[in-house]
Amino acid sequence: MQSPTVSTARRRRRGLGPAILLPLAVFLAAVGAAAAATASPQDAAAMQAVAVALGADKALGWDTPDPCSPKPWPGVGCDSDGRVTAVQVGGKGLTGTLAPEVRNLTELMRLEVFSNRLTGPLPSLAGLNSLQVILVHNNSFASIAPDFFKGLSALTAVSLDDNPFASWPVPADLADCASLLNFSANSVNLTGPLPDFLGAMPSLRQFHVAMNYLSGPVPGSLASLEDLWLNGQQGSPKLSGSISFIANMTKATQLWLHSNDFTGPLPDFSGLTSLYDLNLRDNQLTGPVPDSLVNLKTLKSVALGNNMLQGPTPAFGTGVVQDKSGIFQFCLPDPGKPCDPRVNLLLEVAAGFMYPYKLAQGWKGNDPCTGFVGVECNNGNITSLSFTNKGLTGSISPSISKIATLETLVLSGNNITGTVPKELADLPALKLVDLSNNNLYGQLPAFRNNVILKTDGNPNIGKDAPPPPSLPDGSGNGTKPGDGSGGNNKGSASSSVGVILGSVFGAIAVLGLIGALGFYCYKRKQKPFGRVQSPHAMVIHPRHSGSDPDMVKITVASGNANGAAASNQAYSQASTDPRDIHVVEAGNMVISIQVLRNVTNNFSQDNILGRGGFGTVYKGELHDGKKIAVKRMESGVMGNKGLNEFKSEISVLTKVRHRNLVSLLGYCLDGNERILVYEYMPQGPVSQHLFEWKEHNQQPLEWKKRLSIALDVARGVEYLHSLAQQTFIHRDLKPSNILLGDDMKAKVADFGLVRLAPSDGKCVSVETRLAGTFGYLAPEYAAEPVSSLPYKDTQ
Ligand SMILES: *[C@@H]1O[C@H](CO)[C@@H](O)[C@H](O)[C@H]1NC(C)=O
Ligand SMILES: *[C@@H]1O[C@H](CO)[C@@H](O)[C@H](O)[C@H]1NC(C)=O
Ligand SMILES: *[C@@H]1O[C@H](CO)[C@@H](O)[C@H](O)[C@H]1NC(C)=O
Ligand SMILES: *[C@@H]1O[C@H](CO)[C@@H](O)[C@H](O)[C@H]1NC(C)=O
Ligand SMILES: *[C@@H]1O[C@H](CO)[C@@H](O)[C@H](O)[C@H]1NC(C)=O
Ligand SMILES: *[C@@H]1O[C@H](CO)[C@@H](O)[C@H](O)[C@H]1NC(C)=O
Ligand SMILES: *[C@@H]1O[C@H](CO)[C@@H](O)[C@H](O)[C@H]1NC(C)=O
Ligand SMILES: *[C@@H]1O[C@H](CO)[C@@H](O)[C@H](O)[C@H]1NC(C)=O
């Protein structure tokens, strides 16, 4: 979140001509005029106290008597009644404290003191019912007032991240903030459980509480949230219990639950039709990955490692970036390859018992007859299941009756509920059934006389009486165990598994925690919020939202990305293995060479669309029929020049996006290969329509179309010159670099020679050679003495 004044000031300052000076002057005049009113005495007094405590009297010149006139103190906003409405001093190197008098600024709408080194308590803001935005993150506040949020009824966004608060619970007053959209409180020593009222907050969309000390189960009521970060809780226990609450979160786009103590199976994902980023790493989840997740069309990024997930390795689509690091317990490594039928049968049995962790952990590989815990075989046929004291809950799945060779079934000393399925009596080879010391009820099936049956320690066995009604645990309609027999006793099964596992895996968890903490601190020291990426990650992301579902998002993971994506990343790094960091910047666009070979028929001659200065452009067709243009740099120019071209082009194309500029869909850097993937422009270059129309059996361009093409090009160039984040000079604007779509709309292409104009108007480095095609350079660019050109190399 950035303050609007800052961004307005930074935006479009780099105009190329005097044209923008006029609007700028008007803008400045307007600001000056609005600010003349004298501050109200109440606000003036409060601001004096705030100024002194922050040290802003000295650091920012807040030392005049009136904070609003003759002009407002820098970073202070006043309205026409002389009321202070904004205090925006993020990142000013302030080292003081925030005075409690800030609470007297009753018209305050924005409070931004983020990224300073402020200490002391964060005072109460109770009652400031105009306050909309609070950004106090990245400071050293030692505590937060217990009634900080009381009565903040207009609050829409709050960011508290990265403050060393004394431990505090998620405050109940938050429930007053009925307008709250974004709540961000990562790394602020939050403790205790997540309160139930979160689900009742009508507008809450984003809830970020990563890297705290939260514990206990997640309330099942978070259905309205879009963006949930619970990852990396650092206490013991962490957040725990079932993740079945997810099934209800139909608006979710990003779910980060990694590095916690969640247990049990994955829920049904079919309702989560907007989910694109799911991170469940480093938990104790069990059971198979449901098809409803694998088939989720919106999914772009998934991390499941270091759990005990079972069944086949999921075969996610090529558009999904998978974090494949960590331990996996899938039956076979090959994605989509089905497990041995005997393994599938055992999984059905385990499903009835809510996929207990002990069984998941003890069942490695694809042959149940070689060392599956509790399973014994004869000649490759399962003859015995013996799960004494394995912490089983749930119920006995009738699927057991499909193991026709079963002779022995021992389930004693667990907490199995429900009835004994009648199908068990049909097992032809059965000799021993030991169900003692569980919680079963109901009539026993009619086993044959030669079957030894033990049922002692089940107080309700033989009784028809229904079991005590199981308490709902907010687990929703997640995974249905087994064939859904046995009864409705999903109950609190998974949370009790959590408790048991808490101690069993305590040692593992502590080791992991130390690793995660160590790594987190290390990361922060090194490069506080730097994004770590693996250079050879080869992925293609379909765009997750927006009008055209076939479009692919453009952002490329370049080393210097910063801003929101970068700080997001910081919280995805709570993994136990520092090497495991995965790239999840939304839209990161690396495409594997293999994919590109496939779509271009191995760069076949027949697919060549054209040859340019630095490479050959091939036509490619994706499996869904969408066409792409694949520009492969000539290996001959693969010296520095080619690499520089490539980098230049990527760095420009990732910073600009406009309907009159050809979009980059992805790229590939693999060994010597340098490949850029663009949208395909079916009508080819304008040069063809101007000069070669006869050869192509086309009509000459109508004048109206020429005009509209010229306008399109002008729009694209205008954007490059003045509207993009930075100012770019194309330097090679010629008809062969202007491409046409089917609607004859034109887009500017070939950014290989683009130069970045400095944003501050100062000469940063001097261009020493002219580049581009003579005749297509801007005349003033070609004519001016080279040394006076302020353009700087992009590299
Ligand atoms: C803040 O307001 C309180 C009560 O309205 C008043 O007693 C106090 O003097 C005020 N502080 C300043 C610095 O204006
Ligand atoms: C945190 O604040 C410091 C200045 O105190 C600044 O250098 C740093 O970039 C900030 N970090 C983030 C992530 O904003
Ligand atoms: C809430 O967060 C989202 C995503 O980070 C952001 O786009 C939006 O502007 C934020 N809303 C407010 C009111 O700050
Ligand atoms: C969290 O709060 C506790 C209790 O106030 C304190 O001892 C501890 O140092 C805090 N932890 C962090 C990381 O600030
Ligand atoms: C499993 O048992 C069946 C008889 O039920 C037998 O025909 C088959 O050979 C056995 N399998 C193996 C691998 O021995
Ligand atoms: C068995 O499960 C029931 C609920 O299903 C629970 O109330 C009881 O405490 C559990 N018993 C043990 C020994 O875990
Ligand atoms: C699922 O969400 C609905 C509202 O969207 C809520 O009424 C219901 O209780 C939730 N179910 C669970 C199990 O949390
Ligand atoms: C759970 O599923 C059952 C059957 O599939 C359905 O009747 C019930 O309404 C569902 N409950 C919720 C909370 O979705």
Side-chain angles (χ1 to χ4, degrees):
M1 281 172 276
Q2 204 182 23
S3 83
T5 39
V6 173
S7 53
T8 329
R10 265 200 216 133
R11 230 185 288 148
R12 16 205 109 150
R13 237 190 316 155
R14 316 142 289 243
L16 293 174
I20 78 147
L21 292 180
L22 183 62
L24 190 63
V26 171
F27 171 75
L28 290 175
V31 170
T38 317
S40 76
Q42 180 191 343
D43 285 6
M47 283 304 288
Q48 294 293 349
V50 168
V52 172
L54 283 176
D57 51 341
K58 300 198 177 63
L60 303 174
W62 290 10
D63 52 5
T64 58
D66 191 320
C68 294
S69 81
K71 63 178 187 177
W73 291 347
V76 174
C78 300
D79 65 13
S80 53
D81 300 331
R83 302 303 311 273
V84 172
T85 54
V87 173
Q88 296 175 281
V89 290
K92 296 282 188 241
L94 300 172
T95 54
T97 59
L98 187 60
E101 284 81 2
V102 70
R103 191 175 163 181
N104 286 17
L105 301 169
T106 52
E107 293 296 316
L108 194 64
M109 296 196 289
R110 299 186 77 98
L111 176 63
E112 302 179 13
V113 298
F114 61 91
S115 294
N116 286 297
R117 292 189 298 277
L118 301 177
T119 55
L122 194 52
S124 173
L125 301 177
L128 293 184
N129 58 13
S130 296
L131 196 56
Q132 294 169 12
V133 174
I134 302 173
L135 308 181
V136 298
H137 54 275
N138 191 19
N139 275 293
S140 300
F141 288 116
S143 63
I144 179 167
D147 59 346
F148 187 84
F149 291 100
K150 202 176 178 72
L152 302 188
S153 53
L155 194 63
T156 57
V158 56
S159 171
L160 307 167
D161 306 345
D162 296 297
N163 273 296
F165 295 152
S167 67
W168 60 302
V170 177
D173 288 335
L174 208 53
D176 291 355
C177 308
S179 314
L180 193 60
L181 288 166
N182 293 355
F183 179 84
S184 193
N186 303 299
S187 283
V188 289
N189 213 354
L190 275 170
T191 53
L194 287 171
D196 278 328
F197 68 77
L198 290 177
M201 294 185 64
S203 49
L204 196 61
R205 296 287 171 268
Q206 187 191 78
F207 190 71
H208 289 182
V209 291
M211 313 301 283
N212 282 298
Y213 292 81
L214 295 167
S215 56
V218 177
S221 59
L222 302 177
S224 72
L225 288 184
E226 291 168 9
D227 192 345
L228 178 63
W229 293 2
L230 301 176
N231 52 292
Q233 299 305 321
Q234 304 179 32
S236 182
K238 307 173 185 204
L239 289 169
S240 59
S242 161
I243 60 165
S244 53
F245 66 91
I246 290 182
N248 223 1
M249 296 183 68
T250 52
K251 294 177 181 159
T253 56
Q254 185 175 51
L255 293 173
W256 286 0
L257 309 186
H258 45 296
S259 301
N260 275 299
D261 290 328
F262 291 116
T263 51
L266 305 191
D268 179 9
F269 282 81
S270 48
L272 281 76
T273 50
S274 304
L275 185 68
Y276 70 91
D277 187 3
L278 176 70
N279 195 330
L280 300 175
R281 277 186 66 102
D282 302 302
N283 279 292
Q284 292 129 43
L285 300 168
T286 52
V289 177
D291 288 345
S292 57
L293 176 58
V294 177
N295 298 334
L296 210 58
K297 290 201 172 53
T298 48
L299 197 65
K300 288 174 61 183
S301 172
V302 63
L304 302 172
N306 293 341
N307 280 294
M308 281 295 158
L309 295 172
Q310 300 163 282
T313 296
F316 289 102
T318 47
V320 179
V321 188
Q322 283 182 75
D323 179 352
K324 294 187 179 160
S325 57
I327 296 167
F328 289 95
Q329 195 81 315
F330 297 125
C331 62
L332 290 166
D334 325 56
K337 193 162 181 188
C339 303
D340 185 293
R342 295 166 302 173
V343 172
N344 287 337
L345 272 181
L346 287 174
L347 286 177
E348 286 181 35
V349 173
F353 303 132
M354 305 300 294
Y355 297 105
Y357 191 91
K358 280 189 192 176
L359 293 189
Q361 192 193 30
W363 290 358
K364 288 196 174 73
N366 198 30
D367 182 358
C369 298
T370 54
F372 268 39
V373 161
V375 179
E376 280 170 33
C377 298
N378 184 12
N379 279 331
N381 284 321
I382 298 172
T383 54
S384 166
L385 297 181
S386 182
F387 304 142
T388 304
N389 299 325
K390 287 284 186 283
L392 309 187
T393 56
S395 57
I396 302 174
S397 166
S399 293
I400 292 183
S401 67
K402 297 185 199 164
I403 307 176
T405 48
L406 194 67
E407 294 167 14
T408 305
L409 176 64
V410 180
L411 301 174
S412 55
N414 290 293
N415 197 1
I416 304 169
T417 51
T419 57
V420 182
K422 62 180 180 347
E423 291 88 342
L424 285 195
D426 302 337
L427 281 168
L430 203 58
K431 291 178 187 149
L432 169 68
V433 177
D434 183 354
L435 306 173
S436 50
N437 299 316
N438 278 291
N439 220 342
L440 295 159
Y441 73 95
Q443 295 303 327
L444 286 166
F447 288 103
R448 288 188 316 279
N449 285 342
N450 57 351
V451 175
I452 301 167
L453 181 64
K454 297 184 185 170
T455 59
D456 45 307
N458 287 283
N460 293 315
I461 202 81
K463 298 182 190 165
D464 259 337
S470 67
L471 297 170
D473 68 346
S475 65
N477 266 358
T479 306
K480 285 191 199 67
D483 295 351
S485 75
N488 49 350
N489 34 41
K490 293 159 75 169
S492 48
S494 33
S495 44
S496 61
V497 173
V499 172
I500 295 162
L501 293 175
S503 54
V504 171
F505 297 97
I508 299 170
V510 167
L511 288 178
L513 178 63
I514 291 168
L517 270 174
F519 177 59
Y520 183 64
C521 299
Y522 166 77
K523 284 312 301 171
R524 294 188 53 153
K525 256 190 211 149
Q526 291 281 307
K527 188 180 171 201
F529 289 85
R531 224 158 36 82
V532 184
Q533 57 184 59
S534 69
H536 293 295
M538 298 293 172
V539 280
I540 182 166
H541 293 264
R543 196 184 175 91
H544 61 84
S545 64
S547 46
D548 183 355
D550 287 339
M551 270 307 285
V552 188
K553 201 160 174 178
I554 183 175
T555 323
V556 172
S558 62
N560 57 2
N562 51 23
S567 60
N568 285 354
Q569 195 56 23
Y571 297 105
S572 78
Q573 292 175 358
S575 111
T576 43
D577 184 346
R579 293 160 305 162
D580 290 348
I581 307 312
H582 58 289
V583 193
V584 287
E585 187 195 335
N588 169 17
M589 264 309 307
V590 186
I591 303 178
S592 93
I593 182 74
Q594 201 46 52
V595 168
L596 294 177
R597 280 192 204 287
N598 290 347
V599 300
T600 58
N601 197 6
N602 202 14
F603 300 110
S604 139
Q605 292 285 325
D606 301 338
N607 284 33
I608 292 183
L609 289 173
R611 288 179 208 272
F614 295 97
T616 309
V617 183
Y618 299 84
K619 184 166 130 180
E621 191 163 338
L622 302 179
H623 58 272
D624 60 358
K626 182 183 164 63
K627 295 197 176 65
I628 56 177
V630 179
K631 177 170 166 186
R632 188 190 199 191
M633 300 295 176
E634 225 66 80
S635 43
V637 293
M638 216 25 72
N640 267 349
K641 205 173 168 198
L643 185 58
N644 288 345
E645 290 288 316
F646 184 77
K647 284 187 188 157
S648 159
E649 201 147 349
I650 292 184
S651 79
V652 173
L653 283 163
T654 53
K655 288 184 191 113
V656 301
R657 186 162 181 80
H658 188 271
R659 67 176 182 283
N660 297 116
L661 301 177
V662 171
S663 301
L664 184 74
L665 302 183
Y667 73 98
C668 170
L669 248 174
D670 190 339
N672 269 336
E673 294 283 5
R674 308 268 185 276
I675 297 175
L676 292 166
V677 179
Y678 302 93
E679 62 181 313
Y680 175 67
M681 301 292 291
Q683 294 300 325
V686 170
S687 54
Q688 178 186 312
H689 295 263
L690 290 178
F691 312 126
E692 299 157 16
W693 51 273
K694 275 189 190 139
E695 291 91 311
H696 289 91
N697 292 327
Q698 284 161 337
Q699 296 298 310
L701 274 179
E702 296 159 25
W703 287 105
K704 245 182 162 172
K705 284 210 176 116
R706 292 179 194 221
L707 179 63
S708 102
I709 290 169
L711 285 172
D712 284 343
V713 173
R715 285 186 198 105
V717 172
E718 178 197 33
Y719 178 78
L720 285 176
H721 285 185
S722 53
L723 302 177
Q725 285 166 18
Q726 285 162 301
T727 297
F728 299 99
I729 315 289
H730 189 288
R731 307 204 305 173
D732 206 12
L733 195 60
K734 54 186 177 186
S736 59
N737 284 342
I738 296 164
L739 303 178
L740 297 174
D742 268 332
D743 50 3
M744 296 304 271
K745 289 265 178 250
K747 299 193 183 198
V748 176
D750 204 347
F751 291 83
L753 292 168
V754 162
R755 285 291 175 269
L756 185 62
S759 57
D760 53 6
K762 284 203 208 98
C763 184
V764 184
S765 82
V766 173
E767 178 63 52
T768 49
R769 72 196 147 89
L770 279 179
T773 309
F774 268 103
Y776 296 111
L777 294 170
E780 57 276 31
Y781 175 71
E784 294 232 350
V786 164
S787 62
S788 75
L789 287 170
Y791 304 132
K792 171 179 165 254
D793 258 26
T794 23
Q795 286 89 52

